[in-house]
Amino acid sequence: MTSFTEENYLKAIFKINEKTSKPASTNGIAQQISTSAASVTDMLKRLAEKELINYEKYKGVTLTPTGNKIATNLIRKHRLWEVFLVNKLNFSWEQVHDIAEDLEHIKSDSLIQRLDNYLGNPRFDPHGDPIPNAEGKFMIRNQTSLDQLSIKQKGVLVGVSQHQSEFLQYLNELEIKLGTAFEVLNITSFDKSIKIRKDDTIDITLSHEVSKNLLVKKINE
Amino acid sequence: MTSFTEENYLKAIFKINEKTSKPASTNGIAQQISTSAASVTDMLKRLAEKELINYEKYKGVTLTPTGNKIATNLIRKHRLWEVFLVNKLNFSWEQVHDIAEDLEHIKSDSLIQRLDNYLGNPRFDPHGDPIPNAEGKFMIRNQTSLDQLSIKQKGVLVGVSQHQSEFLQYLNELEIKLGTAFEVLNITSFDKSIKIRKDDTIDITLSHEVSKNLLVKKINE
DNA sequence: GTTAATATTTAGACGAATCTAAAAATTATT
DNA sequence: AATAATTTTTAGATTCGTCTAAATATTAAC
């Protein structure tokens, strides 16, 4: 049985592995968990002892199949709970992360199975992130960040790669949400800011900082 | 901030106080929590330090107003989650206790408020136990246990005072559930077993052990 | 290829929650 | 009222997760 804390380490390692495609470093994990490198080393020993991670001193960490199973299941639970909070309890997408962070540690397979069904077996969470299935498989989607598009290209917002509530609230103000359709009107070369026409009606200029965090699906016609 | 463990102690003390109308003893708490008396003493010191309980060595424990607030809020959360599990996820009433035991520790006031609304502000949980309001007030209901009724008395099942899954499954088999109407046909004096006519159709004999755990509301006509 | 900078691990300590065994206090019994 | 039985508390140890400070290993810089 894994503890709350152990689970958070596994999830952190998973995320770092996923993002960097490299073994997670002690410091990287420490930063992700907001703890000291010494604490991380201690925990890595315990997790290696339990055979949840592959760990060699000074070499970085990856997950064993068992560890990976636990991590993806946590992500599955986290994202399903987020769907519940938004779709059923009418929370806004920027409010749900912290609550789901606790709910994901509830240990009951039948609960998650029933929740999944109750929600209609959603494939994506309120931020557009894919929900892995019970076997830990993620659906892959054809997507790029908005800053990769060129002028006249049309697209739809399918996700965000930043979950900070300030960022999401900014999108709320602009009425940009998942499913929003747009066309690229213009790209300013010196600061990479991008002008888009939203829903065929409203023109909005977004900074590069924003556009690179918007995940879009191109529409070809 | 109270820990998971501290919260369980507060809830145990609340339950014992409520049931016995006396300060909770160290041994009583130990039994309720399934731990040693020594551990209980340790924890009582901590809780007293935090002013969550009134504790004098060898004298037993009661909750301070703050402690009481926390305990009733846990019960509120537990029972609301049970309603969710049964009404929305279609769990059966004997399956939900353990899951709710974990869910009750999730700390988010807005979550509970929204959950309450989503469920239609239920007053009772799936076992017929009252759900305290946000101020910790319990609704009191006119009820007796079935073994207190006399012959020809009619009633409706409004609750159970035993939550063990074996007991609840036994009731499932007999198709006895909350709202089931009945009339007392007969009481056997030597073993206090009781014969009732359920839904005007089926006659069932219940042992005293069972009948004293069924909470009923009398119907006067 | 040394030296300097950075990353990682070890050492030692601490708090929370638990345990067993022993001591002390309370309650019950004769 | 004295002894026996029970309950409660203390003492001391253990595990989990954390910390700071110091030591060691790795990587980067000159």
Side-chain angles (χ1 to χ4, degrees):
Chain A
M1 186 87 308
T2 48
S3 72
F4 190 98
T5 316
E6 288 170 335
E7 293 188 342
N8 283 337
Y9 274 90
L10 294 176
K11 219 177 49 153
I13 295 164
F14 180 90
K15 283 189 178 166
I16 294 168
N17 286 168
E18 191 190 37
K19 183 182 262 181
T20 66
S21 302
K22 271 187 283 187
S25 70
T26 303
N27 264 352
I29 299 167
Q31 206 168 351
Q32 179 85 19
I33 309 252
S34 299
T35 188
S36 70
S39 303
V40 174
T41 304
D42 284 350
M43 181 56 90
L44 295 183
K45 285 179 193 164
R46 275 196 287 278
L47 293 174
E49 185 64 36
K50 291 191 174 187
E51 299 189 44
L52 299 174
I53 60 171
N54 306 114
Y55 171 52
E56 267 185 282
K57 276 188 190 181
Y58 297 101
K59 301 285 178 192
V61 221
T62 56
L63 297 172
T64 62
T66 319
N68 194 273
K69 188 76 205 284
I70 296 172
T72 51
N73 199 235
L74 284 166
I75 291 167
R76 173 172 163 76
K77 290 192 280 183
H78 183 104
R79 294 181 180 170
L80 284 172
W81 278 117
E82 284 197 346
V83 173
F84 170 70
L85 294 172
V86 169
N87 292 7
K88 301 294 185 180
L89 299 194
N90 293 114
F91 275 100
S92 178
W93 66 349
E94 81 275 10
Q95 301 175 307
V96 297
H97 179 80
D98 291 347
I99 300 176
E101 205 70 8
D102 286 335
L103 284 166
E104 72 187 14
H105 297 284
I106 301 288
K107 289 179 173 63
S108 166
D109 289 342
S110 62
L111 172 60
I112 291 308
Q113 197 184 303
R114 282 169 188 263
L115 183 66
D116 189 24
N117 278 326
Y118 180 58
L119 299 172
N121 311 106
R123 304 272 182 60
F124 300 97
D125 79 9
H127 308 101
D129 293 316
I131 299 173
N133 67 16
E135 283 72 48
K137 276 209 122 182
F138 287 83
M139 163 160 288
I140 339 165
R141 185 176 44 192
N142 231 12
Q143 62 181 32
T144 9
S145 52
L146 175 55
D147 68 324
Q148 298 298 309
L149 300 199
S150 33
I151 295 179
K152 292 219 172 159
Q153 175 72 58
K154 292 184 177 187
V156 184
L157 185 72
V158 296
V160 290
S161 50
Q162 253 283 327
H163 293 188
Q164 267 193 287
S165 68
E166 295 76 30
F167 176 64
L168 298 175
Q169 274 167 335
Y170 175 62
L171 298 181
N172 289 346
E173 281 162 30
L174 298 175
E175 296 188 32
I176 294 175
K177 44 178 173 278
L178 298 190
T180 294
F182 61 85
E183 178 184 354
V184 177
L185 298 182
N186 203 306
I187 301 173
T188 307
S189 60
F190 86 95
D191 70 349
K192 292 181 186 156
S193 68
I194 190 169
K195 189 163 162 193
I196 60 171
R197 175 158 297 165
K198 186 174 81 78
D199 302 321
D200 290 324
T201 48
I202 302 165
D203 295 354
I204 304 178
T205 303
L206 301 170
S207 69
H208 183 239
E209 188 57 33
V210 167
S211 71
K212 73 183 182 194
N213 283 306
L214 296 179
L215 303 174
V216 302
K217 190 172 158 241
K218 291 184 198 172
I219 298 174
N220 309 306
E221 28 198 60
Chain B
M1 187 87 306
T2 48
S3 72
F4 190 97
T5 317
E6 288 170 335
E7 292 188 342
N8 283 337
Y9 274 91
L10 293 176
K11 218 176 50 152
I13 295 164
F14 179 91
K15 282 188 179 165
I16 293 169
N17 287 167
E18 189 191 38
K19 184 181 259 179
T20 65
S21 304
K22 271 188 283 186
S25 71
T26 302
N27 263 352
I29 299 167
Q31 206 167 350
Q32 179 84 20
I33 309 252
S34 299
T35 188
S36 70
S39 303
V40 174
T41 303
D42 285 350
M43 180 56 90
L44 294 184
K45 285 179 194 165
R46 276 195 287 277
L47 294 174
E49 186 64 38
K50 291 192 173 187
E51 299 190 45
L52 298 173
I53 60 171
N54 307 112
Y55 171 53
E56 267 184 283
K57 274 187 188 179
Y58 296 101
K59 301 286 177 190
V61 223
T62 56
L63 297 172
T64 62
T66 319
N68 193 273
K69 188 74 205 287
I70 296 171
T72 51
N73 199 235
L74 284 166
I75 291 167
R76 173 172 163 75
K77 291 193 280 183
H78 183 104
R79 293 181 180 171
L80 283 171
W81 279 117
E82 284 198 344
V83 173
F84 169 71
L85 295 172
V86 169
N87 292 8
K88 302 293 185 181
L89 299 194
N90 292 114
F91 276 100
S92 178
W93 67 347
E94 81 275 9
Q95 302 176 307
V96 296
H97 179 81
D98 291 348
I99 301 175
E101 205 69 8
D102 287 336
L103 284 166
E104 72 187 14
H105 297 286
I106 301 289
K107 289 179 174 60
S108 165
D109 288 343
S110 62
L111 171 60
I112 291 307
Q113 196 183 302
R114 282 169 188 264
L115 183 65
D116 189 24
N117 278 326
Y118 181 57
L119 299 172
N121 311 106
R123 304 272 181 60
F124 300 97
D125 79 9
H127 309 100
D129 293 317
I131 299 173
N133 65 17
E135 284 70 48
K137 275 210 121 179
F138 287 82
M139 163 160 288
I140 339 165
R141 184 176 45 192
N142 232 13
Q143 63 181 32
T144 10
S145 53
L146 176 55
D147 69 325
Q148 298 299 308
L149 300 199
S150 32
I151 295 177
K152 293 220 171 158
Q153 176 71 59
K154 293 185 175 184
V156 184
L157 185 73
V158 295
V160 290
S161 49
Q162 254 281 329
H163 292 188
Q164 267 193 287
S165 68
E166 295 77 29
F167 175 64
L168 298 174
Q169 275 168 332
Y170 176 61
L171 297 181
N172 289 345
E173 281 163 29
L174 298 175
E175 295 188 33
I176 293 176
K177 45 177 173 275
L178 298 192
T180 295
F182 61 85
E183 177 183 354
V184 177
L185 298 181
N186 205 304
I187 301 173
T188 308
S189 59
F190 85 96
D191 70 349
K192 293 181 187 156
S193 68
I194 190 170
K195 188 164 163 193
I196 61 172
R197 175 158 296 164
K198 187 175 80 79
D199 303 320
D200 290 324
T201 47
I202 302 163
D203 295 354
I204 304 178
T205 303
L206 302 169
S207 69
H208 183 238
E209 188 58 30
V210 167
S211 71
K212 73 182 181 192
N213 282 306
L214 297 178
L215 303 174
V216 303
K217 189 170 158 245
K218 291 183 196 173
I219 297 173
N220 308 307
E221 26 199 61

